[in-house]
Every structure is written in C-alpha cells, then in structure tokens.
Amino acid sequence: MYRVLVVDDESAIRDGLADGVKWEELGFVLVGTAEDGTIALEEIVSSHPHIVVTDIRMPGMDGIELMRRARDCGENARFIFISGHEEFDY
C-alpha cells in the first residue's frame, strides 16, 4: 500500500481529506496529518510517505518549501498541491 500524508493549516480541509477519503479502498494508508510545513517535514522524515497532499500556501513554511526541504533530506515522496485561494500567485 502507498503511504499518504495530508498537510493543511485549515483543520476542516485537513480532517475532510483525512476522514472523507476511503484511503484503504483506493490502495493507500494514511500515515498522518500535519497542520503546518514544519510538523509535516518531521512526519515525512519519520514515516517516509509515498505521497504528500499539501496546501500550497500555509503560514511559516508553504507547500513548495516543504517539498524542497523534503528533497534536501533525501525524501522522494510525490507532492500533490491543493489551494482554496482565489488569487493564485504561484
């Protein structure tokens, strides 16, 4: 099974993705959630997820910086970026 980590600073989105998707039926196992990039990086290094579903804009460390730092740590997870912002500067 593929391991998935969900990262979002908004608890409704984070919990909705974590609880609303039937991960195991799709061949995945949810290894955890994180409310910001700093916590997520620690989780990535400890659980080595195959896929990280992350908000692109978060306070502190955004999703792009999270991906860069994970790569710097030698992690090879695939990143799926999500955003609910209407103004998309990225």
Side-chain angles (χ1 to χ4, degrees):
M1 292 191 127
Y2 292 102
R3 296 181 303 277
V4 177
L5 174 68
V6 173
V7 185
D8 199 299
D9 58 315
E10 294 184 39
S11 61
I13 302 298
R14 186 177 61 248
D15 295 343
L17 285 169
D19 299 333
V21 175
K22 296 179 181 179
W23 294 106
E24 290 187 12
E25 289 180 16
L26 299 171
F28 299 93
V29 61
L30 184 67
V31 294
T33 63
E35 63 191 47
D36 63 42
T38 303
I39 295 169
L41 185 59
E42 293 173 6
E43 187 67 31
I44 290 169
V45 171
S46 68
S47 66
H48 310 290
H50 295 103
I51 299 169
V52 177
V53 179
T54 183
D55 191 357
I56 199 165
R57 291 182 67 182
M58 296 179 287
M61 184 189 316
D62 67 18
I64 293 172
E65 183 64 22
L66 172 61
M67 182 180 68
R68 286 184 185 131
R69 290 190 186 185
R71 295 285 185 264
D72 289 346
C73 291
E75 297 296 328
N76 293 318
R78 303 290 186 210
F79 280 73
I80 298 171
F81 295 101
I82 57 174
S83 180
H85 296 280
E86 291 180 17
E87 294 182 32
F88 196 74
D89 296 332
Y90 290 96

